[in-house]
Structure formats: structure tokens, C-alpha cells
């Protein structure tokens, strides 16, 4: 969801010959991603569908739900209202037992470091409506959208992104019918 030029999709497809990916992004990104996938010989397992993932997906425009939705460096680019809609779309795109992977460059609790997320946050302030998150801020946003963070994988090297592995919160069990 928001796969841009498809670099991550191509890397995943190259690593797993059984994988199929549908990238959802704006039309210009889909054209570029489709071209690059075809050049890499991955076109048969790669589809690109043009949508604006900041707007609600309609049933006629939404693809078949998948096993995994990846948001890689997406949420920090947008204001909270768009983040909420993006996460609602991610939930719509997942099968009931599906996994949401969120890869973001997270700030520490003081919001002053590490250096790369702090610089990205400054850039967002100057050029975009978004902002970098702390782990508690992002976890709260995900919880509000109905996701449970199952695992946080911190970056293995400076300048890399954190990864949050999430699932949709199970629907509340229906109350028994009165007798």
C-alpha cells in the first residue's frame, strides 16, 4: 500500500519465487513500478493498481484482500487524518488472519533523536503535513485503527527503519442471546 517505484516489491519477488504482489499507489507510481517489474522479468507475479490510498477504498475499487499489507515509510508523510484512512484501508485489504507490517523511522521518547528520524521530522515540518512518530505514538495510532502490535523489531543499524508486526484486533465475541 503506497509502494512507490516498487523497489521493495521487486526485492521481495526476487527473494521468494512463490510470492505474488499487488502494489497500490497513485497512477504515476504504478506505471513506473510496472515498467521496472517487467524489466526485471517479474511482471507475471506483480500487479500495480492505481488508487489514492488516502481516500476510502470502495468495494468496486478494492482488490481481493491479501495475507500481508506493507506500509513502508508511508505514515510519517501524512497528517493524522490521512494516517487514519490509510490504516482503515490497510484493514480493508487484509484477510481476517492477515498481517500488517509497518516500517517507519521512529523517534526516541524525547522526540529529539536518533539523528535520522529527527532530521526527517524536521523535513516533514518544512515540506509535508506529516511527522515522525515515537513507538508509543505509532502503537497508539495502530490500536485506534483496530490493530494489535505483536512485535517491534528495532533497526539493526543506524539510519534503518523500525518494523512493527501487527494483526487486526479480533472482533468482540457476540453476546449470547437472552433466553
Amino acid at each position: 500500500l503506497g509502494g512507490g517505484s516498487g523497489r521493495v516489491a521487486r526485492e521481495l519477488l526476487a527473494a521468494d519465487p512463490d510470492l505474488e504482489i499487488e502494489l497500490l499507489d497513485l497512477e504515476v507510481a504504478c506505471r513506473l513500478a510496472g515498467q521496472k517489474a517487467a524489466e526485471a522479468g517479474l511482471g507475471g507475479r506483480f500487479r500495480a493498481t492505481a488508487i489514492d490510498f488516502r481516500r476510502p477504498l470502495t468495494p468496486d475499487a478494492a482488490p481481493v484482500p491479501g495475507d500481508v499489507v506493507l506500509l513502508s515509510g508511508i505514515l510519517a508523510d501524512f497528517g493524522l487524518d490521512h494516517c487514519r484512512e490509510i490504516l482503515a484501508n490497510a484493514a480493508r485489504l487484509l484477510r481476517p488472519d492477515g498481517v500488517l507490517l509497518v516500517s517507519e523511522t521512529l523517534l526516541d521518547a524525547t522526540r529529539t533523536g536518533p539523528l535520522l528520524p529527527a532530521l526527517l521530522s524536521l523535513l516533514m515540518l518544512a515540506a509535508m503535513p506529516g511527522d515522525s512518530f515515537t513507538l508509543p505514538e505509532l502503537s497508539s495510532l495502530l490500536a485506534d485503527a483496530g490493530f494489535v502490535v505483536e512485535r517491534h523489531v528495532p533497526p539493526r543499524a543506524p539510519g534503518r527503519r523500525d518494523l512493527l508486526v501487527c494483526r487486526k484486533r479480533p472482533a468482540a465475541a457476540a453476546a449470547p442471546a437472552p433466553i
Side-chain angles (χ1 to χ4, degrees):
L1 187 57
S5 69
R7 181 183 59 85
V8 172
R10 289 190 307 279
E11 289 174 2
L12 291 168
L13 289 167
D16 184 346
D18 297 322
L19 191 63
E20 293 181 16
I21 292 180
E22 182 166 9
L23 180 141
L24 306 174
D25 208 326
L26 298 175
E27 186 174 337
V28 65
C30 287
R31 277 196 309 268
L32 178 61
Q35 175 188 351
K36 290 186 173 285
E39 289 169 0
L42 301 168
R45 298 183 294 130
F46 177 84
R47 291 177 306 284
T49 301
I51 64 158
D52 184 346
F53 53 80
R54 300 167 299 171
R55 309 256 186 276
L57 291 178
T58 58
D60 60 316
V64 174
D67 297 320
V68 178
V69 170
L70 170 63
L71 297 172
S72 183
I74 298 296
L75 294 174
D77 291 351
F78 298 98
L80 287 177
D81 288 341
H82 281 140
C83 286
R84 288 181 185 102
E85 194 59 55
I86 292 165
L87 290 171
N89 285 333
R92 289 179 193 107
L93 292 168
L94 277 173
R95 292 188 177 122
D97 59 343
V99 174
L100 173 66
L101 300 174
V102 180
S103 174
E104 288 287 343
T105 308
L106 298 180
L107 290 164
D108 62 23
T110 66
R111 295 186 58 81
T112 59
L115 181 59
L116 181 60
L119 290 173
L120 288 172
S121 192
L122 182 59
L123 175 64
M124 293 298 153
L125 178 65
M128 306 273 295
D131 190 9
S132 295
F133 298 98
T134 65
L135 179 58
E137 289 168 345
L138 184 53
S139 297
S140 177
L141 183 65
L142 288 160
D144 290 348
F147 290 98
V148 175
V149 177
E150 293 186 338
R151 188 171 41 149
H152 168 237
V153 181
R156 294 185 181 161
R160 299 292 182 176
R161 293 184 183 147
D162 293 70
L163 177 68
L164 281 73
V165 180
C166 312
R167 288 199 191 266
K168 286 196 280 190
R169 189 178 310 117
I179 297 179

